[in-house]
Amino acid sequence: MTITVNKAQGIVELIVEGRLDTTTAPQLETKVKELSKEKITLYMNLQNVEYISSAGLRVVLLGQKMMMTTGGKMIIRSPSAFCKQVFEATGMDGVLTIE
């Protein structure tokens, strides 16, 4: 998995590519925790995520919770077809802001 970070004034986009699973989720969690110290809008671009496991889902939910705690917000941007299916199957599509 690779994570690219794009920053602009008050906005950060994390572009995640590859598999988001038990092995790679801690990487994303570390990035999200670093960013949660600021009041920002976090875009998590999941367009090129080919697989997401329950560990990946946990980090996505953690990201949303941490952003809300600081007064920021998190938006899922361009989720892959696989991510969309998982979000719908788990009901997370009703919890997350997805565009």
Side-chain angles (χ1 to χ4, degrees), residues 35-49:
L35 295 168
S36 70
K37 297 171 185 168
E38 308 169 42
K39 181 181 176 181
I40 60 168
T41 298
L42 174 63
Y43 286 93
M44 194 175 293
N45 186 320
L46 302 179
Q47 183 174 5
N48 294 311
V49 172

Side-chain angles (χ1 to χ4, degrees), residues 18 22 28 30 32-33 39 42 46 57 62 65 70-71 75-77 79-80 83 91 93-95 97:
T22 306
L28 182 59
T30 299
V32 168
K33 284 182 177 178
K39 181 181 176 181
L42 174 63
L46 302 179
L57 291 173
L62 176 68
K65 182 178 178 181
T70 62
I75 300 167
I76 301 296
R77 179 176 276 170
S80 66
C83 287
D93 60 334
V95 176
T97 302

Side-chain angles (χ1 to χ4, degrees), residues 8-99:
Q9 188 174 359
I11 297 173
V12 177
E13 181 178 31
L14 293 180
I15 302 169
V16 184
E17 298 180 49
R19 295 176 59 89
L20 185 49
D21 56 24
T22 306
T23 306
T24 59
Q27 243 183 300
L28 182 59
E29 184 173 349
T30 299
K31 291 280 185 199
V32 168
K33 284 182 177 178
E34 288 171 11
L35 295 168
S36 70
K37 297 171 185 168
E38 308 169 42
K39 181 181 176 181
I40 60 168
T41 298
L42 174 63
Y43 286 93
M44 194 175 293
N45 186 320
L46 302 179
Q47 183 174 5
N48 294 311
V49 172
E50 58 198 43
Y51 175 79
I52 186 167
S53 71
S54 59
L57 291 173
R58 184 188 68 77
V59 174
V60 170
L61 282 175
L62 176 68
Q64 177 159 322
K65 182 178 178 181
M66 293 181 96
M67 289 302 120
M68 291 174 66
T69 301
T70 62
K73 63 181 176 178
M74 186 182 85
I75 300 167
I76 301 296
R77 179 176 276 170
S78 305
S80 66
F82 187 85
C83 287
K84 282 182 190 176
Q85 286 179 325
V86 172
F87 292 157
E88 289 170 7
T90 59
M92 285 180 57
D93 60 334
V95 176
L96 299 170
T97 302
I98 301 173
E99 64 175 41

